[in-house]
Amino acid sequence: MNRIDQRFATLKAQGRTALIPYLTAGDPAPEYTVGFMHALVEAGADIIELGVPFSDPMADGPVIQKACERALKHGTRLTHLFAMVREFREQDTETPVVLMGYLNPIERMGYEAFADQAQAAGVDGVLTVDMPPEEADEFGPVLKARGLQSIFLVAPTTSDARAGTISAHGEGYLYYVSLKGVTGAATLNVDEIDAHLAPLRKLSDLPLCVGFGIRDGATAAAVGKVAEGVIVGSVLVGQIAACVDDPAAIAPRLKDILGEMRQALDA
Amino acid sequence: MGLPHPNPEFAPDAGGFFGRFGGRFVAETLMPLILELQEAYESAKQDPDFNAELDALRRDYIGRASPLYLAERLTERLGGARIYLKREDLMHTGAHKINNCIGQVLLARRMGKQRIIAETGAGMHGVATATVAARFGMECIIYMGSTDIDRQQPNVQRMKLLGAKVIPVTSGTGTLKDAMNDALRDWVTNVADTFYIIGTVAGPHPYPAMVRDFQSVIGREAREQVVEKEGRLPDSLLACIGGGSNAMGLFHPFLGDEDVRLIGVEAAGEGLDTGKHAASLQGGSPGVLHGNRTFLLQTAEGQITDAHSISAGLDYPGIGPEHAWLHESGRAEYVAVTDDEALDAFKTLCRLEGIIPALESAHAIAHAIKLAPTLPEDHVMVLNLSGRGDKDMATVTEHLADELAAGAPAADAPAQ
C-alpha cells in the first residue's frame, strides 16, 4: 500500500485529522530542506508537501513566489529534490512525501525520467498545479505505473460534474482550495467550506484535505472539524522569509507553529 | 515535416490543441473560468446581434477597414517585390491591439462582468484595453512590469488618462511574463465580476483561438483589398511576432491558400547566438507556460528565461501555440532580425514613405528589406504595419542620439 493511503488509514482508525505542511525545496538554501522536513515530522506532520521551485508560479501568491526566487537563486533543481527526499528517507521511511509544482520543469526532464527518479528517491505522490485532469492522460499513467499517486486540486468554483472527473483521476487525497484565489490570501469561512465539501463526499471516497488560508491552531482546528486533513503552506514559508539572515532560527519556529496546530487538531 | 497539414477549419480541436501545442494547462482555480469563457465565446460567435455590434464598432470607433497601401518608394528602392503595407498603424489607439480588445469587451459585457483586467508589455495592449473599458464604462486594472513602466512612460500616462489603474509588477524580472502572472492571480481572486482581456494569441484555450478570430479582420480585409488592386492573391505575407497576434490575424484567412508564403519575423535582439533575444521559435524549445504548451525561452531545467528586444512589444519568452504548430508543420516560415536591423528599417520607412512605424513593425520591414530584392518584380508582398512609432520616440532617440545631433539621420540604408 502507498504510504499516503497507509497514513490516512491509520489516522482514520485513530480518529485524527491529517496535518500536511508545505515547504518550497531549496528555501532559503538547499542544505536546510531535509532538516526542516525532519523538524516538521517531529512537530506532528503526517504528510510533507515539498514544492518544486518554478520561475513563474502563477497559482501561488507573493510569499511562495519569493520562496521560489530564493531557491532558484541557489540553483535548486529537480535532481536536488530527489537527493533531498533520498536523504530524508535514510531516517524516515514512513512519512509520505508529495512533490508539488508546475508542469514545465517536469516536461523538460521528461515524464518517465522524472517518475523513475521520484520513485527511486522515495516520493509517494505528485501534485502538478497547472495540469488539470483534462491534460493528465499522458503523465498520469506514467506515475501510476511506478506507484506514484496523482493528487489533484478542487476549487470552490469547480462544478459537481468536474469534481466527479477530478476524483475519478485523483488518488491519495483531494486538495480542496479553500479560497478563491492564490495561496497565502486572507480570510477563511469554515461554514462555506463545509457546504462545498458535502457534495464532494458523495462524489469521492478520497480523503478531503483543505489548503490555502490556514494560519494557526484556531484556523487549523476549525477546518479540521470538517475535513480529513489541513494543509498549511504560506505561514510556514513566511517564517523562512523572516529568518533568511538567521537560518538557525527557522526550524524551531516551524516546529512551534506546526506543534500548535497539532495540539489544536488533537484537542 | 510529417505533421498533418494545418486546416483552419479544424484548429484548434475541442481541447484547444493545435497539433501538440495549446491546451488548458491551468490550476483548477482557473479551469471553471476558462470553461465559462469558452461557452460564452462560442455562443457570442453565433449571435448575429453580437457580430453586428462588433462590425459597427470596427467601422465607426476603430476606423476600419485599414488601408492597404502600396509603398512605392520602398518598392522602388529595394528593386524587387511589390510591397503593400496593411496600415494597422492608422487604427484607433495606433495599433492592431484594439481589434481584439473591442471584441473581448463586448464579450465581457455580455457575460455581465464589470471589471476588466489586462497585462501589458509595451503598453499598447494596456492602452487599447483602457480605451475600450472607458468606452463601455467599466473599471480597468492594468498589470505592467516595473521595468516596462520605466521605459514606456507615455503609454502609462495614456492609460491613467483613460481612467485605468496601472499596477506595477515587481515580482520575477518585472516584465511582461510577470505582469501576466499577476493578472492571472487577480483573475482567480476576483472570479465573480472580472474579465481578463489577454492581449495576444497565447494563454489557455479559448484565448489563442478567440484573439486570432478577433484579429483575423486584418487578413480578411487584406485579402479583399489585394484582390481588388492586383486581381489575385498575394505571393507572401510578412508580420512581426512577439506573442504573435498581428501575424496570426493576417495569416489566418490565408492558411488554406498553399501558394501564399507566410513569414513571421521574431526579434533576434542582440543576436540569436548572444542569448539576448526574444525568438522563442528559433532560440527556444517546447514547454508549458501561462496555460499553453508552446515554444519557450527556458533553461535546461525548465525555468523560464528573460526575453530581450529593443521593442518592448516583442519582449515575451513565449509565442502563440498556433504559430508553434505552423512552425513545426512547415506551413509558415519564421525568421529573426536584430535590434540594429530593426532600427535601420525604422529609419528607412520614415525617410522613404513618411511613416514612423512601431519598432515591432520595423522588424517585419527589416526582413522585407532583405527579402524583397531577391524576388521578382511581379511578386506581391503584404506586410502588416501593426502599429505606429510615436511610443518609441524615446528609445529611438536614445539609440540614434549621435545621428540626430548631427542633424542628418543616415536614413538611406539601402544603396540607390
Short mmCIF file of all heavy atoms in Angstrom, two decimals, chain A residues 53-60 65 69 72 77 103-105 107-108 111 129-130 132 134-135 153 155 157-158 162 166 180-182, chain B residues 17 23-29 31-32 35 171-172 177 181 184-185 188-189 285 287-290 293 298-304:
data_model
loop_
_atom_site.label_atom_id
_atom_site.label_comp_id
_atom_site.label_asym_id
_atom_site.label_seq_id
_atom_site.Cartn_x
_atom_site.Cartn_y
_atom_site.Cartn_z
N PRO A 53 10.62 24.44 -6.97
CA PRO A 53 10.66 25.85 -7.36
C PRO A 53 10.51 26.06 -8.86
O PRO A 53 11.06 25.29 -9.65
CB PRO A 53 12.04 26.32 -6.88
CG PRO A 53 12.79 25.11 -6.46
CD PRO A 53 11.85 23.97 -6.34
N PHE A 54 9.72 27.08 -9.22
CA PHE A 54 9.50 27.42 -10.64
C PHE A 54 9.56 28.93 -10.79
O PHE A 54 9.13 29.67 -9.90
CB PHE A 54 8.13 26.88 -11.08
CG PHE A 54 7.82 27.12 -12.54
CD1 PHE A 54 8.75 26.81 -13.53
CD2 PHE A 54 6.60 27.66 -12.94
CE1 PHE A 54 8.47 27.03 -14.87
CE2 PHE A 54 6.31 27.88 -14.28
CZ PHE A 54 7.25 27.57 -15.25
N SER A 55 10.11 29.37 -11.91
CA SER A 55 10.28 30.81 -12.15
C SER A 55 8.96 31.56 -12.22
O SER A 55 8.91 32.75 -11.94
CB SER A 55 11.06 31.02 -13.46
OG SER A 55 10.43 30.33 -14.52
N ASP A 56 7.88 30.88 -12.62
CA ASP A 56 6.60 31.56 -12.85
C ASP A 56 5.44 30.83 -12.17
O ASP A 56 4.58 30.27 -12.83
CB ASP A 56 6.35 31.70 -14.35
CG ASP A 56 7.36 32.62 -15.01
OD1 ASP A 56 8.50 32.18 -15.28
OD2 ASP A 56 7.04 33.80 -15.21
N PRO A 57 5.42 30.85 -10.82
CA PRO A 57 4.39 30.11 -10.09
C PRO A 57 3.05 30.86 -10.08
O PRO A 57 2.68 31.49 -9.10
CB PRO A 57 4.97 29.99 -8.68
CG PRO A 57 5.85 31.20 -8.53
CD PRO A 57 6.35 31.55 -9.91
N MET A 58 2.31 30.75 -11.20
CA MET A 58 1.13 31.58 -11.43
C MET A 58 0.01 31.39 -10.42
O MET A 58 -0.77 32.29 -10.20
CB MET A 58 0.57 31.30 -12.83
CG MET A 58 1.46 31.74 -13.94
SD MET A 58 1.25 30.63 -15.35
CE MET A 58 2.11 29.18 -14.79
N ALA A 59 -0.11 30.18 -9.85
CA ALA A 59 -1.23 29.92 -8.94
C ALA A 59 -0.87 30.21 -7.49
O ALA A 59 -1.66 29.98 -6.60
CB ALA A 59 -1.69 28.47 -9.09
N ASP A 60 0.34 30.69 -7.26
CA ASP A 60 0.78 30.99 -5.91
C ASP A 60 0.86 32.49 -5.69
O ASP A 60 1.05 33.25 -6.62
CB ASP A 60 2.15 30.36 -5.65
CG ASP A 60 2.06 28.85 -5.52
OD1 ASP A 60 1.45 28.39 -4.55
OD2 ASP A 60 2.57 28.15 -6.41
N GLN A 65 6.03 32.77 -4.28
CA GLN A 65 6.86 33.25 -5.39
C GLN A 65 8.25 33.64 -4.90
O GLN A 65 9.27 33.30 -5.49
CB GLN A 65 6.19 34.44 -6.08
CG GLN A 65 7.18 35.21 -6.99
CD GLN A 65 6.75 35.31 -8.43
OE1 GLN A 65 5.57 35.28 -8.74
NE2 GLN A 65 7.71 35.42 -9.33
N GLU A 69 11.96 32.17 -5.75
CA GLU A 69 13.10 33.00 -6.19
C GLU A 69 14.34 32.73 -5.33
O GLU A 69 15.45 32.63 -5.86
CB GLU A 69 12.72 34.50 -6.15
CG GLU A 69 11.75 34.88 -7.28
CD GLU A 69 11.18 36.29 -7.16
OE1 GLU A 69 11.73 37.10 -6.37
OE2 GLU A 69 10.18 36.58 -7.84
N LEU A 72 15.68 29.30 -6.34
CA LEU A 72 16.29 29.29 -7.68
C LEU A 72 17.61 30.04 -7.70
O LEU A 72 18.52 29.72 -8.47
CB LEU A 72 15.32 29.89 -8.71
CG LEU A 72 14.10 29.01 -9.02
CD1 LEU A 72 13.12 29.76 -9.92
CD2 LEU A 72 14.52 27.70 -9.69
N ARG A 77 17.19 22.48 -8.26
CA ARG A 77 16.54 21.86 -9.39
C ARG A 77 16.00 20.50 -9.00
O ARG A 77 16.25 20.02 -7.89
CB ARG A 77 17.50 21.75 -10.56
CG ARG A 77 18.79 21.03 -10.22
CD ARG A 77 19.79 21.08 -11.34
NE ARG A 77 20.32 22.43 -11.53
CZ ARG A 77 21.30 22.73 -12.37
NH1 ARG A 77 21.85 21.80 -13.12
NH2 ARG A 77 21.75 23.95 -12.46
N LEU A 103 4.18 22.12 -14.27
CA LEU A 103 4.49 21.07 -15.24
C LEU A 103 5.82 21.27 -15.98
O LEU A 103 6.50 20.31 -16.31
CB LEU A 103 3.33 20.96 -16.24
CG LEU A 103 3.40 19.81 -17.24
CD1 LEU A 103 3.51 18.46 -16.54
CD2 LEU A 103 2.16 19.82 -18.15
N ASN A 104 6.19 22.54 -16.26
CA ASN A 104 7.30 22.74 -17.20
C ASN A 104 8.62 22.08 -16.79
O ASN A 104 9.24 21.42 -17.62
CB ASN A 104 7.50 24.22 -17.52
CG ASN A 104 8.30 24.41 -18.78
OD1 ASN A 104 7.97 23.83 -19.82
ND2 ASN A 104 9.38 25.17 -18.70
N PRO A 105 9.07 22.23 -15.54
CA PRO A 105 10.33 21.55 -15.19
C PRO A 105 10.25 20.03 -15.36
O PRO A 105 11.24 19.38 -15.72
CB PRO A 105 10.54 21.93 -13.72
CG PRO A 105 9.80 23.23 -13.56
CD PRO A 105 8.59 23.10 -14.45
N GLU A 107 8.22 18.40 -17.60
CA GLU A 107 8.23 18.11 -19.05
C GLU A 107 9.64 18.19 -19.60
O GLU A 107 10.04 17.41 -20.47
CB GLU A 107 7.35 19.11 -19.81
CG GLU A 107 5.91 18.74 -19.79
CD GLU A 107 5.18 19.11 -21.10
OE1 GLU A 107 5.77 19.67 -22.04
OE2 GLU A 107 3.99 18.82 -21.14
N ARG A 108 10.38 19.18 -19.10
CA ARG A 108 11.73 19.40 -19.60
C ARG A 108 12.61 18.19 -19.27
O ARG A 108 13.43 17.77 -20.06
CB ARG A 108 12.28 20.66 -18.93
CG ARG A 108 13.51 21.20 -19.54
CD ARG A 108 13.23 21.89 -20.85
NE ARG A 108 14.48 22.44 -21.36
CZ ARG A 108 14.82 22.44 -22.63
NH1 ARG A 108 14.01 21.95 -23.54
NH2 ARG A 108 15.96 22.95 -23.02
N TYR A 111 8.72 12.93 -18.71
CA TYR A 111 7.82 12.31 -17.74
C TYR A 111 8.43 11.04 -17.14
O TYR A 111 8.38 10.82 -15.93
CB TYR A 111 6.48 11.94 -18.40
CG TYR A 111 5.61 13.12 -18.81
CD1 TYR A 111 4.58 12.96 -19.73
CD2 TYR A 111 5.82 14.40 -18.27
CE1 TYR A 111 3.78 14.04 -20.11
CE2 TYR A 111 5.03 15.47 -18.65
CZ TYR A 111 4.01 15.29 -19.57
OH TYR A 111 3.21 16.33 -19.94
N VAL A 129 0.38 21.47 -10.31
CA VAL A 129 -0.61 22.53 -10.13
C VAL A 129 -1.32 22.90 -11.44
O VAL A 129 -2.53 23.06 -11.47
CB VAL A 129 0.07 23.79 -9.54
CG1 VAL A 129 -0.92 24.93 -9.42
CG2 VAL A 129 0.66 23.46 -8.18
N ASP A 130 -0.55 23.04 -12.52
CA ASP A 130 -1.14 23.51 -13.77
C ASP A 130 -1.45 22.36 -14.73
O ASP A 130 -1.44 22.54 -15.95
CB ASP A 130 -0.26 24.58 -14.45
CG ASP A 130 1.16 24.12 -14.68
OD1 ASP A 130 1.55 23.05 -14.15
OD2 ASP A 130 1.92 24.83 -15.39
N PRO A 132 -4.64 20.11 -15.04
CA PRO A 132 -5.95 19.58 -14.66
C PRO A 132 -6.11 18.18 -15.27
O PRO A 132 -5.33 17.80 -16.14
CB PRO A 132 -6.92 20.59 -15.29
CG PRO A 132 -6.18 21.18 -16.44
CD PRO A 132 -4.73 21.18 -16.04
N GLU A 134 -7.91 17.02 -17.47
CA GLU A 134 -8.02 17.03 -18.94
C GLU A 134 -6.67 16.86 -19.62
O GLU A 134 -6.59 16.38 -20.76
CB GLU A 134 -8.62 18.38 -19.42
CG GLU A 134 -10.10 18.51 -19.24
CD GLU A 134 -10.49 19.03 -17.86
OE1 GLU A 134 -9.63 19.03 -16.96
OE2 GLU A 134 -11.66 19.42 -17.69
N GLU A 135 -5.60 17.32 -18.97
CA GLU A 135 -4.28 17.29 -19.61
C GLU A 135 -3.40 16.18 -19.03
O GLU A 135 -2.20 16.13 -19.28
CB GLU A 135 -3.57 18.65 -19.43
CG GLU A 135 -4.39 19.87 -19.85
CD GLU A 135 -4.70 19.93 -21.33
OE1 GLU A 135 -4.35 18.97 -22.07
OE2 GLU A 135 -5.30 20.93 -21.77
N LEU A 153 -6.26 19.16 -7.45
CA LEU A 153 -6.93 20.27 -6.75
C LEU A 153 -8.42 20.28 -7.08
O LEU A 153 -8.81 19.92 -8.19
CB LEU A 153 -6.34 21.62 -7.22
CG LEU A 153 -4.87 21.91 -6.96
CD1 LEU A 153 -4.46 23.20 -7.69
CD2 LEU A 153 -4.61 22.06 -5.47
N ALA A 155 -11.58 23.26 -6.57
CA ALA A 155 -11.77 24.65 -6.16
C ALA A 155 -13.22 24.91 -5.81
O ALA A 155 -14.11 24.15 -6.19
CB ALA A 155 -11.32 25.57 -7.30
N THR A 157 -15.08 26.91 -7.13
CA THR A 157 -15.79 27.16 -8.38
C THR A 157 -15.96 25.90 -9.22
O THR A 157 -16.61 25.93 -10.27
CB THR A 157 -15.01 28.20 -9.21
OG1 THR A 157 -13.62 27.87 -9.16
CG2 THR A 157 -15.20 29.60 -8.66
N THR A 158 -15.36 24.79 -8.79
CA THR A 158 -15.46 23.54 -9.55
C THR A 158 -16.90 23.01 -9.52
O THR A 158 -17.49 22.87 -8.46
CB THR A 158 -14.54 22.48 -8.93
OG1 THR A 158 -13.20 23.00 -8.89
CG2 THR A 158 -14.54 21.20 -9.74
N ARG A 162 -17.36 18.39 -12.88
CA ARG A 162 -15.89 18.39 -12.90
C ARG A 162 -15.32 17.69 -11.68
O ARG A 162 -14.34 16.97 -11.77
CB ARG A 162 -15.36 19.82 -12.95
CG ARG A 162 -15.40 20.46 -14.30
CD ARG A 162 -14.60 21.76 -14.29
NE ARG A 162 -13.19 21.53 -13.97
CZ ARG A 162 -12.33 20.94 -14.76
NH1 ARG A 162 -12.71 20.49 -15.93
NH2 ARG A 162 -11.07 20.78 -14.39
N ILE A 166 -12.53 14.84 -11.62
CA ILE A 166 -11.28 15.00 -10.86
C ILE A 166 -11.11 13.85 -9.88
O ILE A 166 -10.02 13.26 -9.78
CB ILE A 166 -11.26 16.35 -10.12
CG1 ILE A 166 -11.21 17.51 -11.12
CG2 ILE A 166 -10.08 16.43 -9.15
CD1 ILE A 166 -11.46 18.87 -10.52
N LYS A 180 -11.14 31.21 -3.04
CA LYS A 180 -10.96 31.62 -4.42
C LYS A 180 -9.72 32.47 -4.43
O LYS A 180 -9.64 33.44 -3.70
CB LYS A 180 -12.16 32.45 -4.89
CG LYS A 180 -13.42 31.63 -5.02
CD LYS A 180 -14.59 32.55 -5.32
CE LYS A 180 -15.87 31.77 -5.17
NZ LYS A 180 -17.00 32.65 -4.84
N GLY A 181 -8.76 32.12 -5.23
CA GLY A 181 -7.58 32.97 -5.26
C GLY A 181 -6.30 32.17 -5.18
O GLY A 181 -6.30 30.97 -5.40
N VAL A 182 -5.27 32.86 -4.85
CA VAL A 182 -3.94 32.27 -4.85
C VAL A 182 -3.57 31.86 -3.44
O VAL A 182 -4.26 32.21 -2.48
CB VAL A 182 -2.89 33.26 -5.39
CG1 VAL A 182 -3.19 33.57 -6.85
CG2 VAL A 182 -2.89 34.54 -4.58
N PHE B 17 -6.20 22.28 -28.71
CA PHE B 17 -4.88 21.91 -29.22
C PHE B 17 -4.74 22.17 -30.72
O PHE B 17 -5.62 21.85 -31.51
CB PHE B 17 -4.59 20.44 -28.95
CG PHE B 17 -4.10 20.19 -27.55
CD1 PHE B 17 -4.98 19.86 -26.54
CD2 PHE B 17 -2.75 20.36 -27.24
CE1 PHE B 17 -4.53 19.67 -25.24
CE2 PHE B 17 -2.30 20.17 -25.94
CZ PHE B 17 -3.19 19.82 -24.95
N GLY B 23 -3.79 23.88 -25.57
CA GLY B 23 -4.33 23.18 -24.40
C GLY B 23 -4.79 24.12 -23.31
O GLY B 23 -4.96 25.33 -23.52
N ARG B 24 -5.02 23.53 -22.14
CA ARG B 24 -5.52 24.28 -20.98
C ARG B 24 -4.73 23.88 -19.76
O ARG B 24 -5.23 23.16 -18.89
CB ARG B 24 -7.00 23.98 -20.76
CG ARG B 24 -7.90 24.63 -21.79
CD ARG B 24 -9.34 24.29 -21.54
NE ARG B 24 -9.59 22.88 -21.79
CZ ARG B 24 -10.69 22.41 -22.39
NH1 ARG B 24 -11.63 23.23 -22.79
NH2 ARG B 24 -10.84 21.12 -22.58
N PHE B 25 -3.49 24.32 -19.68
CA PHE B 25 -2.63 23.95 -18.57
C PHE B 25 -2.73 25.01 -17.47
O PHE B 25 -1.87 25.88 -17.35
CB PHE B 25 -1.18 23.78 -19.05
CG PHE B 25 -1.03 22.62 -20.00
CD1 PHE B 25 -1.15 22.80 -21.36
CD2 PHE B 25 -0.78 21.34 -19.51
CE1 PHE B 25 -1.03 21.72 -22.24
CE2 PHE B 25 -0.65 20.27 -20.37
CZ PHE B 25 -0.77 20.46 -21.74
N VAL B 26 -3.85 24.95 -16.74
CA VAL B 26 -4.08 25.92 -15.68
C VAL B 26 -4.47 25.19 -14.40
O VAL B 26 -4.94 24.05 -14.44
CB VAL B 26 -5.19 26.92 -16.04
CG1 VAL B 26 -4.79 27.76 -17.24
CG2 VAL B 26 -6.51 26.22 -16.30
N ALA B 27 -4.31 25.88 -13.28
CA ALA B 27 -4.75 25.32 -12.00
C ALA B 27 -6.26 25.21 -11.99
O ALA B 27 -6.96 25.94 -12.70
CB ALA B 27 -4.27 26.22 -10.86
N GLU B 28 -6.77 24.29 -11.17
CA GLU B 28 -8.20 24.07 -11.09
C GLU B 28 -8.97 25.35 -10.73
O GLU B 28 -10.12 25.51 -11.12
CB GLU B 28 -8.49 22.96 -10.08
CG GLU B 28 -9.95 22.59 -9.92
CD GLU B 28 -10.63 22.17 -11.23
OE1 GLU B 28 -9.94 21.66 -12.13
OE2 GLU B 28 -11.85 22.37 -11.35
N THR B 29 -8.31 26.27 -10.01
CA THR B 29 -8.96 27.53 -9.65
C THR B 29 -9.37 28.30 -10.91
O THR B 29 -10.35 29.03 -10.90
CB THR B 29 -8.01 28.40 -8.81
OG1 THR B 29 -6.70 28.28 -9.34
CG2 THR B 29 -8.00 27.94 -7.37
N MET B 31 -9.74 26.81 -14.08
CA MET B 31 -10.40 25.96 -15.07
C MET B 31 -11.89 26.30 -15.26
O MET B 31 -12.33 26.47 -16.40
CB MET B 31 -10.21 24.50 -14.65
CG MET B 31 -10.41 23.51 -15.75
SD MET B 31 -9.11 23.61 -17.00
CE MET B 31 -9.89 22.59 -18.25
N PRO B 32 -12.66 26.44 -14.16
CA PRO B 32 -14.08 26.78 -14.37
C PRO B 32 -14.25 28.12 -15.10
O PRO B 32 -15.19 28.28 -15.87
CB PRO B 32 -14.64 26.86 -12.94
CG PRO B 32 -13.72 26.00 -12.12
CD PRO B 32 -12.36 26.21 -12.74
N LEU B 35 -13.62 27.63 -18.85
CA LEU B 35 -14.72 26.87 -19.46
C LEU B 35 -15.95 27.77 -19.66
O LEU B 35 -16.62 27.72 -20.69
CB LEU B 35 -15.08 25.66 -18.59
CG LEU B 35 -14.02 24.56 -18.54
CD1 LEU B 35 -14.38 23.50 -17.51
CD2 LEU B 35 -13.82 23.92 -19.92
N SER B 171 7.52 41.41 -9.12
CA SER B 171 7.96 40.02 -8.94
C SER B 171 8.74 39.56 -10.16
O SER B 171 8.61 40.14 -11.24
CB SER B 171 6.75 39.12 -8.70
OG SER B 171 5.88 39.18 -9.80
N GLY B 172 9.50 38.49 -9.98
CA GLY B 172 10.30 37.96 -11.09
C GLY B 172 11.23 39.02 -11.63
O GLY B 172 11.99 39.62 -10.88
N LYS B 177 5.99 38.81 -18.78
CA LYS B 177 5.56 37.50 -18.27
C LYS B 177 5.13 37.59 -16.82
O LYS B 177 4.19 36.92 -16.39
CB LYS B 177 6.67 36.46 -18.46
CG LYS B 177 7.79 36.50 -17.44
CD LYS B 177 8.80 35.38 -17.65
CE LYS B 177 10.00 35.48 -16.74
NZ LYS B 177 9.74 35.08 -15.34
N ASN B 181 1.50 36.80 -15.02
CA ASN B 181 1.32 36.01 -13.79
C ASN B 181 0.40 36.74 -12.82
O ASN B 181 -0.51 36.15 -12.24
CB ASN B 181 2.67 35.76 -13.10
CG ASN B 181 3.57 34.82 -13.87
OD1 ASN B 181 3.09 34.04 -14.69
ND2 ASN B 181 4.87 34.91 -13.63
N LEU B 184 -3.25 36.83 -13.94
CA LEU B 184 -3.89 35.53 -13.69
C LEU B 184 -4.26 35.39 -12.21
O LEU B 184 -5.32 34.88 -11.86
CB LEU B 184 -2.97 34.39 -14.12
CG LEU B 184 -2.82 34.19 -15.63
CD1 LEU B 184 -1.61 33.30 -15.95
CD2 LEU B 184 -4.08 33.57 -16.24
N ARG B 185 -3.38 35.87 -11.34
CA ARG B 185 -3.65 35.82 -9.89
C ARG B 185 -4.85 36.68 -9.53
O ARG B 185 -5.69 36.30 -8.73
CB ARG B 185 -2.42 36.30 -9.12
CG ARG B 185 -1.29 35.31 -9.16
CD ARG B 185 0.00 35.90 -8.59
NE ARG B 185 1.05 34.91 -8.64
CZ ARG B 185 2.32 35.16 -8.92
NH1 ARG B 185 2.71 36.41 -9.16
NH2 ARG B 185 3.20 34.20 -8.96
N VAL B 188 -8.18 34.81 -10.54
CA VAL B 188 -8.68 33.75 -9.66
C VAL B 188 -9.13 34.30 -8.31
O VAL B 188 -9.89 33.67 -7.60
CB VAL B 188 -7.67 32.60 -9.42
CG1 VAL B 188 -7.35 31.90 -10.71
CG2 VAL B 188 -6.41 33.07 -8.75
N THR B 189 -8.66 35.51 -7.96
CA THR B 189 -9.06 36.10 -6.69
C THR B 189 -10.39 36.85 -6.82
O THR B 189 -11.13 37.00 -5.86
CB THR B 189 -7.96 37.07 -6.19
OG1 THR B 189 -6.70 36.40 -6.28
CG2 THR B 189 -8.18 37.48 -4.76
N SER B 285 12.52 26.21 -26.99
CA SER B 285 12.16 24.80 -27.07
C SER B 285 10.76 24.63 -26.48
O SER B 285 10.28 25.49 -25.74
CB SER B 285 13.18 23.97 -26.29
OG SER B 285 13.33 24.51 -24.99
N GLY B 287 7.56 23.78 -24.26
CA GLY B 287 7.33 23.71 -22.82
C GLY B 287 5.94 24.21 -22.50
O GLY B 287 5.14 24.46 -23.41
N VAL B 288 5.65 24.37 -21.21
CA VAL B 288 4.31 24.78 -20.77
C VAL B 288 4.42 26.03 -19.90
O VAL B 288 5.13 26.02 -18.89
CB VAL B 288 3.63 23.66 -19.98
CG1 VAL B 288 2.32 24.15 -19.37
CG2 VAL B 288 3.36 22.45 -20.88
N LEU B 289 3.75 27.09 -20.31
CA LEU B 289 3.71 28.32 -19.53
C LEU B 289 2.41 29.05 -19.82
O LEU B 289 1.92 29.02 -20.96
CB LEU B 289 4.91 29.23 -19.90
CG LEU B 289 4.95 30.58 -19.16
CD1 LEU B 289 5.30 30.41 -17.69
CD2 LEU B 289 5.96 31.53 -19.82
N HIS B 290 1.89 29.74 -18.80
CA HIS B 290 0.71 30.59 -18.98
C HIS B 290 -0.44 29.84 -19.66
O HIS B 290 -1.13 30.40 -20.52
CB HIS B 290 1.06 31.85 -19.77
CG HIS B 290 1.94 32.79 -19.00
ND1 HIS B 290 2.85 33.64 -19.60
CD2 HIS B 290 2.07 33.01 -17.67
CE1 HIS B 290 3.50 34.34 -18.68
NE2 HIS B 290 3.04 33.97 -17.50
N ARG B 293 0.89 24.84 -24.08
CA ARG B 293 2.16 24.25 -24.49
C ARG B 293 2.58 24.94 -25.77
O ARG B 293 1.80 25.03 -26.72
CB ARG B 293 2.05 22.75 -24.70
CG ARG B 293 3.40 22.12 -25.10
CD ARG B 293 3.33 20.61 -25.28
NE ARG B 293 3.22 19.93 -24.01
CZ ARG B 293 2.22 19.11 -23.69
NH1 ARG B 293 1.27 18.86 -24.57
NH2 ARG B 293 2.18 18.53 -22.51
N GLN B 298 13.83 29.06 -22.24
CA GLN B 298 13.95 28.42 -20.93
C GLN B 298 15.33 27.80 -20.75
O GLN B 298 16.06 27.59 -21.71
CB GLN B 298 12.87 27.34 -20.79
CG GLN B 298 12.91 26.28 -21.89
CD GLN B 298 11.80 25.23 -21.74
OE1 GLN B 298 11.42 24.91 -20.62
NE2 GLN B 298 11.32 24.70 -22.84
N THR B 299 15.63 27.49 -19.49
CA THR B 299 16.89 26.83 -19.18
C THR B 299 16.74 25.32 -19.40
O THR B 299 15.64 24.82 -19.63
CB THR B 299 17.28 27.04 -17.70
OG1 THR B 299 16.31 26.36 -16.88
CG2 THR B 299 17.30 28.51 -17.32
N ALA B 300 17.84 24.61 -19.28
CA ALA B 300 17.82 23.16 -19.41
C ALA B 300 16.94 22.53 -18.34
O ALA B 300 16.47 21.40 -18.50
CB ALA B 300 19.24 22.60 -19.32
N GLU B 301 16.71 23.24 -17.23
CA GLU B 301 15.88 22.71 -16.14
C GLU B 301 14.43 23.15 -16.22
O GLU B 301 13.64 22.88 -15.31
CB GLU B 301 16.44 23.13 -14.77
CG GLU B 301 17.71 22.41 -14.36
CD GLU B 301 18.92 22.99 -15.05
OE1 GLU B 301 18.98 24.23 -15.23
OE2 GLU B 301 19.81 22.22 -15.46
N GLY B 302 14.08 23.89 -17.30
CA GLY B 302 12.68 24.27 -17.46
C GLY B 302 12.27 25.53 -16.72
O GLY B 302 11.09 25.75 -16.50
N GLN B 303 13.25 26.35 -16.31
CA GLN B 303 12.90 27.66 -15.75
C GLN B 303 12.86 28.66 -16.91
O GLN B 303 13.68 28.62 -17.82
CB GLN B 303 13.95 28.11 -14.71
CG GLN B 303 14.21 27.09 -13.61
CD GLN B 303 12.99 26.82 -12.72
OE1 GLN B 303 12.03 27.60 -12.69
NE2 GLN B 303 13.01 25.70 -12.01
N ILE B 304 11.85 29.55 -16.86
CA ILE B 304 11.66 30.50 -17.96
C ILE B 304 12.71 31.60 -17.87
O ILE B 304 12.98 32.12 -16.78
CB ILE B 304 10.24 31.11 -17.89
CG1 ILE B 304 9.18 30.01 -17.76
CG2 ILE B 304 9.98 32.00 -19.09
CD1 ILE B 304 9.23 28.94 -18.83
#
